[in-house]
Amino acid sequence: MNIGKASLATGVSAKMIRYYETVGLIRPSERTESNYRDFSERDLNDLRFIRRARSLGFSVEEIGRLLSLWRDRNRPSREVKAMAEKHVADLDARIKEMQAMADALRDLSHCCAGDDRPDCPILSDLAGSPAAASQGDTP
Amino acid sequence: MNIGKASLATGVSAKMIRYYETVGLIRPSERTESNYRDFSERDLNDLRFIRRARSLGFSVEEIGRLLSLWRDRNRPSREVKAMAEKHVADLDARIKEMQAMADALRDLSHCCAGDDRPDCPILSDLAGSPAAASQGDTP
DNA sequence: GTTGACCTTCCCATGACAGGAAGGTTTAGA
DNA sequence: TCTAAACCTTCCTGTCATGGGAAGGTCAAC
């Protein structure tokens, strides 16, 4: 199966398949006589695994470790769980940060008239004004 | 005020100050005889504005527009509010995505024993297994 | 046999940083 | 006054996952 078919079959773009190969995430596939990549069912399974893991936000490096664990039939599930929990913690931290940004901006937005006048609490806040001043008002 | 002092005074690293200059976010500052950058109070205000906007997640490009609006004393606050609302929407979308990832992973993690045994619903899920199979079990 | 749709490798760009090298300047202390 | 440390300057590189595109080889259908 060539790279186009493999891409269709797994939902991983051809570009990305080649990239995963160069960074060592997947083993180089077989090649046809004419040097086309030739993917086995096993290769496709790896690609699907990668796609799913990416969709859960794992980095390529983390997926490398997950793939090793997947291939190791003597893995302790403890290790997988630890990785998952750490990733969840990372996600939660980033979510919290973004939530704080969104909340702060929502507050400011809510206080902004949003009309033709220049007075704007959003800009005032960005300008670090303690009150409702803005550079245009007090240059 | 040289770049080191400006960095301390604004919380923007010297590296970033130079970067913002090269990408045109800030105007090139004055220079001393010996070619050192020399920042005015106004420059510092711009840098503080940028730092605050970055902390709210605005991109450098968006901050460029915000700075223009800030400097334009005839701006309609409508434009600022629109930018803020769009940004909030972007944040919310990304938060939702990450929330979905975290929730999915939490579910899987919760079902994983996390001990010495190899059986692992997390890997099973990544492998796209409909049931609790894993590659190690069914190669 | 031609055409079009593939494939190959290689290079470049993204965004917002950080690190570092090579070389000039300022400043503090001996 | 000299020197060493702590600055500053520009320029180049790498990050991470991804897309775009050029130049050239291959396959498939008609």
Side-chain angles (χ1 to χ4, degrees):
Chain A
M1 186 178 282
N2 69 22
I3 203 170
K5 304 278 174 57
S7 172
L8 269 180
T10 62
V12 181
S13 76
K15 279 277 189 198
M16 277 301 102
I17 296 177
R18 294 192 194 98
Y19 171 72
Y20 293 148
E21 187 190 289
T22 67
V23 299
L25 185 57
I26 56 179
R27 308 154 276 220
S29 66
E30 297 292 307
R31 296 282 181 145
T32 65
E33 281 176 8
S34 55
N35 202 32
Y36 280 21
R37 285 179 183 77
D38 188 17
F39 296 90
S40 66
E41 261 314 309
R42 194 186 164 94
D43 294 332
L44 298 188
N45 283 336
D46 285 0
L47 288 171
R48 290 193 195 98
F49 183 100
I50 291 167
R51 189 179 65 92
R52 176 80 180 127
R54 282 293 301 145
S55 80
L56 288 174
F58 285 104
S59 71
V60 165
E61 200 188 338
E62 289 167 327
I63 296 175
R65 290 198 289 274
L66 288 172
L67 275 171
S68 311
L69 288 168
W70 185 35
R71 291 189 192 118
D72 173 9
R73 68 181 66 203
N74 290 122
R75 72 200 161 234
S77 65
R78 200 189 320 103
E79 285 189 27
V80 186
K81 187 167 184 171
M83 283 193 63
E85 285 175 347
K86 177 178 175 314
H87 185 51
V88 168
D90 288 354
L91 285 168
D92 283 346
R94 286 198 283 153
I95 289 168
K96 208 171 162 185
E97 267 185 35
M98 297 174 63
Q99 200 65 262
M101 292 178 185
D103 289 347
L105 258 176
R106 243 186 298 265
D107 280 357
L108 290 170
S109 219
H110 190 250
C111 296
C112 177
D115 55 17
D116 286 338
R117 290 170 300 168
D119 314 85
C120 179
I122 303 169
L123 290 180
S124 300
D125 179 275
L126 292 176
S129 77
S134 70
Q135 183 162 284
D137 299 332
T138 57
Chain B
M1 188 179 277
N2 69 23
I3 203 171
K5 304 277 174 60
S7 173
L8 269 180
T10 63
V12 180
S13 75
K15 279 278 188 197
M16 277 303 102
I17 296 176
R18 295 192 193 99
Y19 171 71
Y20 293 148
E21 187 191 289
T22 67
V23 300
L25 184 58
I26 55 180
R27 311 154 275 217
S29 66
E30 297 294 307
R31 296 284 180 141
T32 65
E33 282 176 6
S34 56
N35 201 32
Y36 279 22
R37 285 178 182 77
D38 189 17
F39 297 89
S40 67
E41 260 315 308
R42 195 185 162 92
D43 293 333
L44 299 188
N45 283 336
D46 285 0
L47 288 172
R48 291 193 195 97
F49 183 102
I50 291 167
R51 188 179 65 92
R52 175 81 178 127
R54 283 293 302 145
S55 82
L56 287 174
F58 285 104
S59 72
V60 165
E61 201 188 338
E62 289 166 327
I63 296 174
R65 291 199 289 273
L66 289 171
L67 275 171
S68 312
L69 288 167
W70 185 37
R71 293 189 190 116
D72 174 10
R73 67 180 67 202
N74 290 123
R75 73 200 160 231
S77 65
R78 200 189 320 101
E79 285 189 28
V80 186
K81 187 167 183 168
M83 283 194 62
E85 283 175 347
K86 181 180 172 311
H87 185 51
V88 168
D90 288 353
L91 284 169
D92 283 346
R94 286 198 284 152
I95 288 168
K96 208 171 162 185
E97 268 185 34
M98 295 173 64
Q99 199 66 260
M101 292 178 186
D103 288 347
L105 258 177
R106 244 186 298 265
D107 279 358
L108 290 170
S109 220
H110 189 252
C111 296
C112 176
D115 55 18
D116 286 338
R117 288 168 301 167
D119 315 84
C120 178
I122 304 169
L123 290 179
S124 300
D125 178 276
L126 291 175
S129 76
S134 70
Q135 183 164 288
D137 300 331
T138 56

